[in-house]
Structure formats: structure tokens, C-alpha cells
Amino acid sequence: MDKSYKMNIAGLDRYLPLCRVNDDLYIGAFVIFGDPELTTACAAELLKRAPEYDYLVTAEAKSIPLIHEMARQNNNQKYIVARKYPKLYMRDIITARVRSITTDKEQVLHLDGNDAKLMKGKRILIVDDVISTGESLHALEELVSLAGGEIVGRMSILAEGDATERPDITYLEKLPLFNADGSVK
């Protein structure tokens, strides 16, 4: 029988399926794709806690609907997505490497040179859906730094594992890690 973990996030109850990372570690899979009610509620809650910023930045991942909704609610005209693969239209690409807990292999994030130019000297708010090991966050920080932006905050819906102890992250809820039997570590 599949195990799940019930969480209340931004006032909404959701069941997160538990997924095996290894024999001793399971994580609650938080997938915001296809859930506009949760995306809208989380965006509103994060914006209440957000510092002043010029641009929102995220990695090409499950956080795209979140950053889009945050930008929409805050009347931003632009947000920036670091891509997993370079696209033909991208010029003067900046790259950073990342290895995430939910990804099998190392990935590379790519930032379009035009987006990098926009970020130079600007206040940048990094947004993710879940921060766990901090590897994706580190890659985004590296891209912002290479572009000359000033990181004013790091936000996510959930923080997991050691990320819950980081004072430099703002998040809505703690997501525990799990044992194979579904109990919280």
C-alpha cells in the first residue's frame, strides 16, 4: 500500500506521496503542478513575507507555476527562469552545475545573457518549491552572483531536512524526512 503524509500548506490540506530515495530515506513528494488553488495560496503567503525585490528568479522545475503566480499577484512585468538546457534564442549564456536530491545525475542551469544583464545591480529574490540539500539554491545563487545581481532573499513553500535550520531561507512549512515504514525521522 502506498504511504502518504498529510500537510496543511497555506491553509490547504494536501497528501504527499512518500517516495524512496534509498533504503533508509523517503521524502514527501510535493508537486505543485496542476494545483492552481495551492499555487495561488502559496504565492500569496510567500509575497506577504517577501522583501523588496526587482526580479524573481527560479530554476526550470516545479517552481515555475509558483514564480509565475507570485509575479502575477505582485504586478511584476518579468520573472527569470534558469533553464536546464540552452535554447537557440539564448545568447551569452552563464551556467552553474547542480545535483538535487530528486535528480539522478548532475544538471546544469543556464541563464540567458539578456536576463543576466537585467539582473546586474538589481535586487533578486530566489524562489523554489522545496529547499532540501540547497544544491539547486546554490546554483541559482552562483548564477545571480555571476550576473551581478544582489540576492535579497531565498524563499520556498517547503523546507526539508537540514534546510529547516537555515536562517537565510524563508519558507511556509517544514517537510519532514521519513523512514521506510512511513514514520517521521
mmCIF file of all heavy atoms in Angstrom, residues 42-43 45-59 63 66-68 70-71 74 76 78-82 119 122-128 131 137 140-141 144 149-156 168-171:
data_model
loop_
_atom_site.group_PDB
_atom_site.id
_atom_site.type_symbol
_atom_site.label_atom_id
_atom_site.label_comp_id
_atom_site.label_asym_id
_atom_site.label_seq_id
_atom_site.Cartn_x
_atom_site.Cartn_y
_atom_site.Cartn_z
ATOM 1 N N CYS A 42 -0.144 29.637 -1.971
ATOM 2 C CA CYS A 42 1.271 29.696 -1.569
ATOM 3 C C CYS A 42 1.927 30.986 -2.054
ATOM 4 O O CYS A 42 2.702 31.601 -1.319
ATOM 5 C CB CYS A 42 2.022 28.481 -2.102
ATOM 6 S SG CYS A 42 1.591 26.932 -1.282
ATOM 7 N N ALA A 43 1.627 31.391 -3.275
ATOM 8 C CA ALA A 43 2.181 32.641 -3.802
ATOM 9 C C ALA A 43 1.785 33.819 -2.920
ATOM 10 O O ALA A 43 2.619 34.667 -2.574
ATOM 11 C CB ALA A 43 1.718 32.855 -5.240
ATOM 12 N N GLU A 45 0.913 33.807 0.261
ATOM 13 C CA GLU A 45 1.582 33.723 1.573
ATOM 14 C C GLU A 45 3.050 34.095 1.484
ATOM 15 O O GLU A 45 3.578 34.769 2.373
ATOM 16 C CB GLU A 45 1.406 32.329 2.171
ATOM 17 C CG GLU A 45 0.004 32.042 2.653
ATOM 18 C CD GLU A 45 -0.488 33.046 3.701
ATOM 19 O OE1 GLU A 45 0.263 33.353 4.650
ATOM 20 O OE2 GLU A 45 -1.624 33.533 3.555
ATOM 21 N N LEU A 46 3.733 33.644 0.430
ATOM 22 C CA LEU A 46 5.145 33.996 0.276
ATOM 23 C C LEU A 46 5.316 35.490 0.045
ATOM 24 O O LEU A 46 6.227 36.115 0.598
ATOM 25 C CB LEU A 46 5.783 33.190 -0.858
ATOM 26 C CG LEU A 46 6.048 31.719 -0.534
ATOM 27 C CD1 LEU A 46 6.470 30.956 -1.788
ATOM 28 C CD2 LEU A 46 7.100 31.570 0.562
ATOM 29 N N LEU A 47 4.452 36.083 -0.748
ATOM 30 C CA LEU A 47 4.552 37.524 -1.005
ATOM 31 C C LEU A 47 4.363 38.352 0.260
ATOM 32 O O LEU A 47 4.967 39.421 0.395
ATOM 33 C CB LEU A 47 3.556 37.949 -2.090
ATOM 34 C CG LEU A 47 3.954 37.565 -3.512
ATOM 35 C CD1 LEU A 47 2.800 37.818 -4.473
ATOM 36 C CD2 LEU A 47 5.214 38.304 -3.948
ATOM 37 N N LYS A 48 3.561 37.860 1.194
ATOM 38 C CA LYS A 48 3.399 38.564 2.474
ATOM 39 C C LYS A 48 4.717 38.639 3.234
ATOM 40 O O LYS A 48 4.929 39.555 4.026
ATOM 41 C CB LYS A 48 2.364 37.847 3.353
ATOM 42 C CG LYS A 48 0.948 37.973 2.886
ATOM 43 C CD LYS A 48 0.029 37.162 3.787
ATOM 44 C CE LYS A 48 -1.384 37.113 3.267
ATOM 45 N NZ LYS A 48 -2.248 36.225 4.098
ATOM 46 N N ARG A 49 5.604 37.699 2.996
ATOM 47 C CA ARG A 49 6.877 37.602 3.719
ATOM 48 C C ARG A 49 8.072 38.059 2.883
ATOM 49 O O ARG A 49 9.195 38.065 3.375
ATOM 50 C CB ARG A 49 7.105 36.155 4.153
ATOM 51 C CG ARG A 49 5.979 35.604 5.005
ATOM 52 C CD ARG A 49 6.136 34.137 5.242
ATOM 53 N NE ARG A 49 4.912 33.586 5.829
ATOM 54 C CZ ARG A 49 4.828 32.403 6.391
ATOM 55 N NH1 ARG A 49 5.889 31.628 6.459
ATOM 56 N NH2 ARG A 49 3.683 31.998 6.888
ATOM 57 N N ALA A 50 7.834 38.392 1.634
ATOM 58 C CA ALA A 50 8.927 38.711 0.708
ATOM 59 C C ALA A 50 9.522 40.086 0.975
ATOM 60 O O ALA A 50 8.794 41.042 1.244
ATOM 61 C CB ALA A 50 8.418 38.641 -0.732
ATOM 62 N N PRO A 51 10.843 40.188 0.864
ATOM 63 C CA PRO A 51 11.479 41.509 0.931
ATOM 64 C C PRO A 51 11.241 42.256 -0.388
ATOM 65 O O PRO A 51 10.757 41.672 -1.363
ATOM 66 C CB PRO A 51 12.969 41.159 1.090
ATOM 67 C CG PRO A 51 13.117 39.846 0.392
ATOM 68 C CD PRO A 51 11.808 39.114 0.646
ATOM 69 N N GLU A 52 11.583 43.517 -0.414
ATOM 70 C CA GLU A 52 11.503 44.288 -1.664
ATOM 71 C C GLU A 52 12.482 43.677 -2.662
ATOM 72 O O GLU A 52 13.601 43.337 -2.308
ATOM 73 C CB GLU A 52 11.864 45.748 -1.413
ATOM 74 C CG GLU A 52 10.834 46.488 -0.591
ATOM 75 C CD GLU A 52 9.531 46.693 -1.354
ATOM 76 O OE1 GLU A 52 9.566 46.972 -2.571
ATOM 77 O OE2 GLU A 52 8.464 46.562 -0.712
ATOM 78 N N TYR A 53 12.048 43.541 -3.912
ATOM 79 C CA TYR A 53 12.900 42.948 -4.938
ATOM 80 C C TYR A 53 12.600 43.593 -6.279
ATOM 81 O O TYR A 53 11.562 44.228 -6.465
ATOM 82 C CB TYR A 53 12.674 41.428 -5.025
ATOM 83 C CG TYR A 53 11.290 41.042 -5.477
ATOM 84 C CD1 TYR A 53 10.987 40.915 -6.832
ATOM 85 C CD2 TYR A 53 10.256 40.827 -4.564
ATOM 86 C CE1 TYR A 53 9.707 40.582 -7.252
ATOM 87 C CE2 TYR A 53 8.981 40.492 -4.980
ATOM 88 C CZ TYR A 53 8.712 40.373 -6.330
ATOM 89 O OH TYR A 53 7.443 40.063 -6.756
ATOM 90 N N ASP A 54 13.540 43.386 -7.210
ATOM 91 C CA ASP A 54 13.334 43.839 -8.586
ATOM 92 C C ASP A 54 12.908 42.689 -9.495
ATOM 93 O O ASP A 54 12.063 42.871 -10.360
ATOM 94 C CB ASP A 54 14.610 44.491 -9.129
ATOM 95 C CG ASP A 54 14.979 45.743 -8.355
ATOM 96 O OD1 ASP A 54 14.119 46.635 -8.235
ATOM 97 O OD2 ASP A 54 16.119 45.822 -7.860
ATOM 98 N N TYR A 55 13.515 41.510 -9.291
ATOM 99 C CA TYR A 55 13.186 40.343 -10.111
ATOM 100 C C TYR A 55 13.119 39.085 -9.264
ATOM 101 O O TYR A 55 13.918 38.895 -8.339
ATOM 102 C CB TYR A 55 14.235 40.121 -11.216
ATOM 103 C CG TYR A 55 14.251 41.201 -12.252
ATOM 104 C CD1 TYR A 55 15.278 42.131 -12.287
ATOM 105 C CD2 TYR A 55 13.238 41.299 -13.210
ATOM 106 C CE1 TYR A 55 15.300 43.141 -13.244
ATOM 107 C CE2 TYR A 55 13.247 42.304 -14.158
ATOM 108 C CZ TYR A 55 14.281 43.216 -14.170
ATOM 109 O OH TYR A 55 14.277 44.216 -15.103
ATOM 110 N N LEU A 56 12.179 38.225 -9.640
ATOM 111 C CA LEU A 56 12.086 36.876 -9.088
ATOM 112 C C LEU A 56 12.865 35.947 -10.014
ATOM 113 O O LEU A 56 12.789 36.080 -11.245
ATOM 114 C CB LEU A 56 10.629 36.408 -9.047
ATOM 115 C CG LEU A 56 9.668 37.199 -8.168
ATOM 116 C CD1 LEU A 56 8.230 36.836 -8.509
ATOM 117 C CD2 LEU A 56 9.958 36.931 -6.712
ATOM 118 N N VAL A 57 13.592 34.982 -9.413
ATOM 119 C CA VAL A 57 14.374 34.028 -10.196
ATOM 120 C C VAL A 57 14.123 32.629 -9.663
ATOM 121 O O VAL A 57 14.040 32.419 -8.448
ATOM 122 C CB VAL A 57 15.889 34.345 -10.100
ATOM 123 C CG1 VAL A 57 16.710 33.308 -10.837
ATOM 124 C CG2 VAL A 57 16.188 35.728 -10.642
ATOM 125 N N THR A 58 14.002 31.664 -10.573
ATOM 126 C CA THR A 58 13.873 30.267 -10.180
ATOM 127 C C THR A 58 14.559 29.389 -11.213
ATOM 128 O O THR A 58 14.939 29.861 -12.288
ATOM 129 C CB THR A 58 12.397 29.850 -10.010
ATOM 130 O OG1 THR A 58 12.343 28.629 -9.273
ATOM 131 C CG2 THR A 58 11.694 29.672 -11.350
ATOM 132 N N ALA A 59 14.696 28.107 -10.888
ATOM 133 C CA ALA A 59 15.210 27.123 -11.833
ATOM 134 C C ALA A 59 14.045 26.524 -12.608
ATOM 135 O O ALA A 59 12.916 26.484 -12.121
ATOM 136 C CB ALA A 59 15.964 26.020 -11.084
ATOM 137 N N SER A 63 8.836 24.816 -9.661
ATOM 138 C CA SER A 63 8.580 26.142 -9.094
ATOM 139 C C SER A 63 8.108 27.160 -10.131
ATOM 140 O O SER A 63 7.733 28.272 -9.765
ATOM 141 C CB SER A 63 9.835 26.652 -8.394
ATOM 142 O OG SER A 63 10.940 26.620 -9.287
ATOM 143 N N LEU A 66 4.676 28.594 -9.483
ATOM 144 C CA LEU A 66 4.723 29.424 -8.281
ATOM 145 C C LEU A 66 5.281 30.808 -8.598
ATOM 146 O O LEU A 66 4.684 31.827 -8.221
ATOM 147 C CB LEU A 66 5.572 28.742 -7.195
ATOM 148 C CG LEU A 66 5.813 29.568 -5.945
ATOM 149 C CD1 LEU A 66 4.502 29.826 -5.198
ATOM 150 C CD2 LEU A 66 6.822 28.869 -5.046
ATOM 151 N N ILE A 67 6.408 30.872 -9.274
ATOM 152 C CA ILE A 67 7.021 32.174 -9.571
ATOM 153 C C ILE A 67 6.128 32.978 -10.515
ATOM 154 O O ILE A 67 6.010 34.195 -10.393
ATOM 155 C CB ILE A 67 8.458 31.995 -10.121
ATOM 156 C CG1 ILE A 67 9.229 33.307 -10.039
ATOM 157 C CG2 ILE A 67 8.465 31.446 -11.509
ATOM 158 C CD1 ILE A 67 10.697 33.177 -10.380
ATOM 159 N N HIS A 68 5.468 32.289 -11.435
ATOM 160 C CA HIS A 68 4.536 32.966 -12.333
ATOM 161 C C HIS A 68 3.393 33.612 -11.539
ATOM 162 O O HIS A 68 3.049 34.779 -11.749
ATOM 163 C CB HIS A 68 3.976 31.978 -13.367
ATOM 164 C CG HIS A 68 2.970 32.594 -14.265
ATOM 165 N ND1 HIS A 68 3.318 33.242 -15.434
ATOM 166 C CD2 HIS A 68 1.624 32.700 -14.164
ATOM 167 C CE1 HIS A 68 2.217 33.711 -16.008
ATOM 168 N NE2 HIS A 68 1.183 33.396 -15.268
ATOM 169 N N MET A 70 3.367 34.359 -8.319
ATOM 170 C CA MET A 70 3.894 35.438 -7.469
ATOM 171 C C MET A 70 4.047 36.718 -8.287
ATOM 172 O O MET A 70 3.664 37.800 -7.832
ATOM 173 C CB MET A 70 5.221 35.033 -6.828
ATOM 174 C CG MET A 70 5.080 33.986 -5.743
ATOM 175 S SD MET A 70 6.683 33.427 -5.080
ATOM 176 C CE MET A 70 7.176 34.889 -4.119
ATOM 177 N N ALA A 71 4.607 36.592 -9.484
ATOM 178 C CA ALA A 71 4.786 37.761 -10.348
ATOM 179 C C ALA A 71 3.437 38.363 -10.733
ATOM 180 O O ALA A 71 3.260 39.581 -10.724
ATOM 181 C CB ALA A 71 5.580 37.367 -11.591
ATOM 182 N N ASN A 74 1.883 40.216 -7.818
ATOM 183 C CA ASN A 74 2.634 41.409 -7.427
ATOM 184 C C ASN A 74 2.792 42.395 -8.587
ATOM 185 O O ASN A 74 3.556 43.343 -8.494
ATOM 186 C CB ASN A 74 4.007 41.006 -6.874
ATOM 187 C CG ASN A 74 4.494 41.952 -5.812
ATOM 188 O OD1 ASN A 74 3.710 42.538 -5.068
ATOM 189 N ND2 ASN A 74 5.798 42.115 -5.736
ATOM 190 N N ASN A 76 4.316 42.143 -11.376
ATOM 191 C CA ASN A 76 5.640 42.183 -11.994
ATOM 192 C C ASN A 76 5.491 41.965 -13.496
ATOM 193 O O ASN A 76 4.672 41.156 -13.925
ATOM 194 C CB ASN A 76 6.554 41.093 -11.432
ATOM 195 C CG ASN A 76 6.759 41.201 -9.934
ATOM 196 O OD1 ASN A 76 6.721 40.214 -9.229
ATOM 197 N ND2 ASN A 76 6.981 42.404 -9.430
ATOM 198 N N LYS A 78 8.048 40.921 -15.369
ATOM 199 C CA LYS A 78 9.044 39.935 -15.797
ATOM 200 C C LYS A 78 9.511 39.125 -14.606
ATOM 201 O O LYS A 78 9.626 39.630 -13.502
ATOM 202 C CB LYS A 78 10.244 40.669 -16.423
ATOM 203 C CG LYS A 78 11.438 39.807 -16.714
ATOM 204 C CD LYS A 78 11.716 39.753 -18.175
ATOM 205 C CE LYS A 78 12.951 38.947 -18.472
ATOM 206 N NZ LYS A 78 12.690 37.779 -19.260
ATOM 207 N N TYR A 79 9.753 37.845 -14.850
ATOM 208 C CA TYR A 79 10.477 36.998 -13.918
ATOM 209 C C TYR A 79 11.466 36.190 -14.735
ATOM 210 O O TYR A 79 11.370 36.119 -15.963
ATOM 211 C CB TYR A 79 9.552 36.100 -13.090
ATOM 212 C CG TYR A 79 8.672 35.165 -13.876
ATOM 213 C CD1 TYR A 79 9.121 33.903 -14.262
ATOM 214 C CD2 TYR A 79 7.374 35.530 -14.221
ATOM 215 C CE1 TYR A 79 8.303 33.044 -14.980
ATOM 216 C CE2 TYR A 79 6.555 34.672 -14.928
ATOM 217 C CZ TYR A 79 7.022 33.430 -15.305
ATOM 218 O OH TYR A 79 6.217 32.576 -16.010
ATOM 219 N N ILE A 80 12.459 35.602 -14.066
ATOM 220 C CA ILE A 80 13.563 34.951 -14.777
ATOM 221 C C ILE A 80 13.640 33.479 -14.384
ATOM 222 O O ILE A 80 13.582 33.142 -13.198
ATOM 223 C CB ILE A 80 14.885 35.680 -14.461
ATOM 224 C CG1 ILE A 80 14.789 37.125 -14.972
ATOM 225 C CG2 ILE A 80 16.075 34.946 -15.064
ATOM 226 C CD1 ILE A 80 15.880 38.048 -14.496
ATOM 227 N N VAL A 81 13.789 32.633 -15.403
ATOM 228 C CA VAL A 81 13.908 31.198 -15.200
ATOM 229 C C VAL A 81 15.262 30.738 -15.738
ATOM 230 O O VAL A 81 15.568 30.946 -16.912
ATOM 231 C CB VAL A 81 12.773 30.431 -15.916
ATOM 232 C CG1 VAL A 81 12.948 28.925 -15.756
ATOM 233 C CG2 VAL A 81 11.414 30.868 -15.375
ATOM 234 N N ALA A 82 16.059 30.109 -14.872
ATOM 235 C CA ALA A 82 17.305 29.478 -15.309
ATOM 236 C C ALA A 82 16.928 28.146 -15.955
ATOM 237 O O ALA A 82 16.235 27.326 -15.341
ATOM 238 C CB ALA A 82 18.240 29.275 -14.125
ATOM 239 N N MET A 119 19.562 41.575 -14.497
ATOM 240 C CA MET A 119 19.800 41.339 -13.072
ATOM 241 C C MET A 119 20.937 42.185 -12.500
ATOM 242 O O MET A 119 20.977 42.422 -11.289
ATOM 243 C CB MET A 119 20.107 39.852 -12.844
ATOM 244 C CG MET A 119 18.901 38.967 -13.100
ATOM 245 S SD MET A 119 19.265 37.198 -13.170
ATOM 246 C CE MET A 119 20.166 36.917 -11.688
ATOM 247 N N LYS A 122 20.617 44.666 -9.577
ATOM 248 C CA LYS A 122 19.221 44.621 -9.127
ATOM 249 C C LYS A 122 19.047 43.684 -7.933
ATOM 250 O O LYS A 122 19.848 42.783 -7.693
ATOM 251 C CB LYS A 122 18.305 44.140 -10.266
ATOM 252 C CG LYS A 122 18.323 45.031 -11.484
ATOM 253 C CD LYS A 122 17.793 46.412 -11.176
ATOM 254 C CE LYS A 122 17.736 47.241 -12.454
ATOM 255 N NZ LYS A 122 17.305 48.580 -12.224
ATOM 256 N N ARG A 123 17.955 43.907 -7.193
ATOM 257 C CA ARG A 123 17.608 43.066 -6.036
ATOM 258 C C ARG A 123 16.886 41.821 -6.536
ATOM 259 O O ARG A 123 15.830 41.925 -7.167
ATOM 260 C CB ARG A 123 16.711 43.838 -5.075
ATOM 261 C CG ARG A 123 17.352 45.104 -4.526
ATOM 262 C CD ARG A 123 16.348 45.964 -3.814
ATOM 263 N NE ARG A 123 15.322 46.382 -4.796
ATOM 264 C CZ ARG A 123 14.266 47.101 -4.495
ATOM 265 N NH1 ARG A 123 14.049 47.494 -3.265
ATOM 266 N NH2 ARG A 123 13.396 47.433 -5.417
ATOM 267 N N ILE A 124 17.458 40.665 -6.226
ATOM 268 C CA ILE A 124 16.961 39.396 -6.750
ATOM 269 C C ILE A 124 16.412 38.540 -5.616
ATOM 270 O O ILE A 124 17.089 38.316 -4.607
ATOM 271 C CB ILE A 124 18.073 38.627 -7.485
ATOM 272 C CG1 ILE A 124 18.742 39.497 -8.552
ATOM 273 C CG2 ILE A 124 17.533 37.315 -8.052
ATOM 274 C CD1 ILE A 124 17.814 40.020 -9.630
ATOM 275 N N LEU A 125 15.204 38.042 -5.805
ATOM 276 C CA LEU A 125 14.576 37.123 -4.859
ATOM 277 C C LEU A 125 14.523 35.745 -5.511
ATOM 278 O O LEU A 125 13.868 35.560 -6.537
ATOM 279 C CB LEU A 125 13.163 37.603 -4.502
ATOM 280 C CG LEU A 125 12.362 36.726 -3.540
ATOM 281 C CD1 LEU A 125 13.096 36.516 -2.215
ATOM 282 C CD2 LEU A 125 10.986 37.340 -3.297
ATOM 283 N N ILE A 126 15.241 34.792 -4.931
ATOM 284 C CA ILE A 126 15.271 33.425 -5.438
ATOM 285 C C ILE A 126 14.093 32.664 -4.849
ATOM 286 O O ILE A 126 13.851 32.716 -3.645
ATOM 287 C CB ILE A 126 16.604 32.730 -5.077
ATOM 288 C CG1 ILE A 126 17.781 33.461 -5.741
ATOM 289 C CG2 ILE A 126 16.566 31.263 -5.486
ATOM 290 C CD1 ILE A 126 19.140 32.942 -5.315
ATOM 291 N N VAL A 127 13.358 31.945 -5.714
ATOM 292 C CA VAL A 127 12.162 31.214 -5.300
ATOM 293 C C VAL A 127 12.273 29.763 -5.752
ATOM 294 O O VAL A 127 12.704 29.484 -6.863
ATOM 295 C CB VAL A 127 10.891 31.857 -5.907
ATOM 296 C CG1 VAL A 127 9.649 31.085 -5.512
ATOM 297 C CG2 VAL A 127 10.774 33.317 -5.491
ATOM 298 N N ASP A 128 11.867 28.847 -4.867
ATOM 299 C CA ASP A 128 11.831 27.421 -5.198
ATOM 300 C C ASP A 128 10.604 26.818 -4.534
ATOM 301 O O ASP A 128 10.014 27.436 -3.648
ATOM 302 C CB ASP A 128 13.103 26.731 -4.708
ATOM 303 C CG ASP A 128 13.455 25.485 -5.506
ATOM 304 O OD1 ASP A 128 12.605 24.995 -6.271
ATOM 305 O OD2 ASP A 128 14.587 24.995 -5.357
ATOM 306 N N ILE A 131 13.145 23.473 -0.680
ATOM 307 C CA ILE A 131 14.591 23.534 -0.492
ATOM 308 C C ILE A 131 14.955 22.401 0.445
ATOM 309 O O ILE A 131 14.401 22.287 1.533
ATOM 310 C CB ILE A 131 15.059 24.889 0.064
ATOM 311 C CG1 ILE A 131 14.709 26.007 -0.930
ATOM 312 C CG2 ILE A 131 16.565 24.851 0.353
ATOM 313 C CD1 ILE A 131 15.014 27.404 -0.437
ATOM 314 N N LEU A 137 19.511 25.737 -4.937
ATOM 315 C CA LEU A 137 19.618 27.104 -4.437
ATOM 316 C C LEU A 137 21.031 27.642 -4.663
ATOM 317 O O LEU A 137 21.211 28.764 -5.125
ATOM 318 C CB LEU A 137 19.259 27.136 -2.949
ATOM 319 C CG LEU A 137 19.306 28.478 -2.257
ATOM 320 C CD1 LEU A 137 18.271 29.425 -2.845
ATOM 321 C CD2 LEU A 137 19.067 28.298 -0.770
ATOM 322 N N LEU A 140 21.547 28.594 -8.279
ATOM 323 C CA LEU A 140 20.885 29.865 -8.581
ATOM 324 C C LEU A 140 21.658 31.037 -7.988
ATOM 325 O O LEU A 140 21.795 32.088 -8.632
ATOM 326 C CB LEU A 140 19.447 29.852 -8.066
ATOM 327 C CG LEU A 140 18.476 28.999 -8.874
ATOM 328 C CD1 LEU A 140 17.169 28.820 -8.116
ATOM 329 C CD2 LEU A 140 18.245 29.583 -10.253
ATOM 330 N N GLU A 141 22.165 30.865 -6.779
ATOM 331 C CA GLU A 141 22.979 31.921 -6.156
ATOM 332 C C GLU A 141 24.212 32.224 -7.005
ATOM 333 O O GLU A 141 24.581 33.385 -7.191
ATOM 334 C CB GLU A 141 23.398 31.500 -4.751
ATOM 335 C CG GLU A 141 22.278 31.471 -3.750
ATOM 336 C CD GLU A 141 22.667 30.837 -2.424
ATOM 337 O OE1 GLU A 141 23.596 29.993 -2.385
ATOM 338 O OE2 GLU A 141 22.035 31.178 -1.419
ATOM 339 N N VAL A 144 23.129 34.233 -10.077
ATOM 340 C CA VAL A 144 22.834 35.624 -9.706
ATOM 341 C C VAL A 144 24.130 36.391 -9.464
ATOM 342 O O VAL A 144 24.293 37.525 -9.932
ATOM 343 C CB VAL A 144 21.915 35.686 -8.472
ATOM 344 C CG1 VAL A 144 21.780 37.122 -7.965
ATOM 345 C CG2 VAL A 144 20.544 35.107 -8.787
ATOM 346 N N GLY A 149 23.845 40.418 -9.781
ATOM 347 C CA GLY A 149 22.650 40.759 -9.005
ATOM 348 C C GLY A 149 22.914 40.667 -7.514
ATOM 349 O O GLY A 149 23.875 40.032 -7.076
ATOM 350 N N GLU A 150 22.049 41.307 -6.740
ATOM 351 C CA GLU A 150 22.138 41.269 -5.269
ATOM 352 C C GLU A 150 20.996 40.405 -4.737
ATOM 353 O O GLU A 150 19.823 40.739 -4.906
ATOM 354 C CB GLU A 150 22.007 42.686 -4.697
ATOM 355 C CG GLU A 150 21.973 42.703 -3.189
ATOM 356 C CD GLU A 150 21.435 44.006 -2.611
ATOM 357 O OE1 GLU A 150 21.250 44.990 -3.358
ATOM 358 O OE2 GLU A 150 21.187 44.027 -1.389
ATOM 359 N N ILE A 151 21.346 39.293 -4.108
ATOM 360 C CA ILE A 151 20.330 38.400 -3.553
ATOM 361 C C ILE A 151 19.761 39.033 -2.291
ATOM 362 O O ILE A 151 20.488 39.282 -1.336
ATOM 363 C CB ILE A 151 20.923 37.011 -3.247
ATOM 364 C CG1 ILE A 151 21.426 36.368 -4.531
ATOM 365 C CG2 ILE A 151 19.876 36.119 -2.564
ATOM 366 C CD1 ILE A 151 22.262 35.129 -4.318
ATOM 367 N N VAL A 152 18.452 39.288 -2.300
ATOM 368 C CA VAL A 152 17.799 39.904 -1.142
ATOM 369 C C VAL A 152 16.977 38.896 -0.349
ATOM 370 O O VAL A 152 16.496 39.208 0.731
ATOM 371 C CB VAL A 152 16.930 41.112 -1.546
ATOM 372 C CG1 VAL A 152 17.796 42.240 -2.097
ATOM 373 C CG2 VAL A 152 15.842 40.711 -2.523
ATOM 374 N N GLY A 153 16.803 37.689 -0.904
ATOM 375 C CA GLY A 153 16.050 36.671 -0.188
ATOM 376 C C GLY A 153 16.024 35.356 -0.936
ATOM 377 O O GLY A 153 16.299 35.297 -2.135
ATOM 378 N N ARG A 154 15.735 34.302 -0.154
ATOM 379 C CA ARG A 154 15.594 32.946 -0.669
ATOM 380 C C ARG A 154 14.310 32.409 -0.060
ATOM 381 O O ARG A 154 14.204 32.330 1.163
ATOM 382 C CB ARG A 154 16.770 32.084 -0.239
ATOM 383 C CG ARG A 154 18.116 32.554 -0.758
ATOM 384 C CD ARG A 154 19.236 32.144 0.212
ATOM 385 N NE ARG A 154 20.516 32.684 -0.184
ATOM 386 C CZ ARG A 154 20.973 33.884 0.181
ATOM 387 N NH1 ARG A 154 20.253 34.676 0.954
ATOM 388 N NH2 ARG A 154 22.155 34.302 -0.224
ATOM 389 N N MET A 155 13.356 32.040 -0.915
ATOM 390 C CA MET A 155 12.047 31.618 -0.429
ATOM 391 C C MET A 155 11.645 30.293 -1.042
ATOM 392 O O MET A 155 11.992 30.005 -2.188
ATOM 393 C CB MET A 155 10.986 32.655 -0.773
ATOM 394 C CG MET A 155 11.253 34.027 -0.224
ATOM 395 S SD MET A 155 9.841 35.116 -0.463
ATOM 396 C CE MET A 155 9.013 34.802 1.095
ATOM 397 N N SER A 156 10.869 29.543 -0.276
ATOM 398 C CA SER A 156 10.282 28.306 -0.801
ATOM 399 C C SER A 156 8.990 28.023 -0.052
ATOM 400 O O SER A 156 8.757 28.555 1.034
ATOM 401 C CB SER A 156 11.247 27.135 -0.659
ATOM 402 O OG SER A 156 11.450 26.807 0.693
ATOM 403 N N ASP A 168 18.795 31.779 6.534
ATOM 404 C CA ASP A 168 18.729 32.630 5.342
ATOM 405 C C ASP A 168 17.596 32.242 4.390
ATOM 406 O O ASP A 168 17.490 32.797 3.304
ATOM 407 C CB ASP A 168 20.065 32.601 4.599
ATOM 408 C CG ASP A 168 20.436 31.217 4.079
ATOM 409 O OD1 ASP A 168 20.058 30.213 4.714
ATOM 410 O OD2 ASP A 168 21.110 31.137 3.040
ATOM 411 N N ILE A 169 16.746 31.305 4.788
ATOM 412 C CA ILE A 169 15.644 30.848 3.952
ATOM 413 C C ILE A 169 14.313 31.191 4.624
ATOM 414 O O ILE A 169 14.134 30.948 5.812
ATOM 415 C CB ILE A 169 15.708 29.321 3.727
ATOM 416 C CG1 ILE A 169 16.985 28.953 2.975
ATOM 417 C CG2 ILE A 169 14.486 28.825 2.967
ATOM 418 C CD1 ILE A 169 17.220 27.459 2.909
ATOM 419 N N THR A 170 13.388 31.713 3.839
ATOM 420 C CA THR A 170 12.022 31.934 4.299
ATOM 421 C C THR A 170 11.150 30.878 3.637
ATOM 422 O O THR A 170 11.198 30.725 2.414
ATOM 423 C CB THR A 170 11.538 33.340 3.906
ATOM 424 O OG1 THR A 170 12.409 34.306 4.497
ATOM 425 C CG2 THR A 170 10.113 33.581 4.382
ATOM 426 N N TYR A 171 10.380 30.148 4.430
ATOM 427 C CA TYR A 171 9.519 29.104 3.881
ATOM 428 C C TYR A 171 8.226 29.042 4.674
ATOM 429 O O TYR A 171 8.140 29.565 5.784
ATOM 430 C CB TYR A 171 10.230 27.745 3.873
ATOM 431 C CG TYR A 171 10.711 27.284 5.232
ATOM 432 C CD1 TYR A 171 9.899 26.508 6.052
ATOM 433 C CD2 TYR A 171 11.973 27.624 5.703
ATOM 434 C CE1 TYR A 171 10.327 26.088 7.301
ATOM 435 C CE2 TYR A 171 12.414 27.209 6.948
ATOM 436 C CZ TYR A 171 11.584 26.436 7.743
ATOM 437 O OH TYR A 171 12.011 26.023 8.985
#
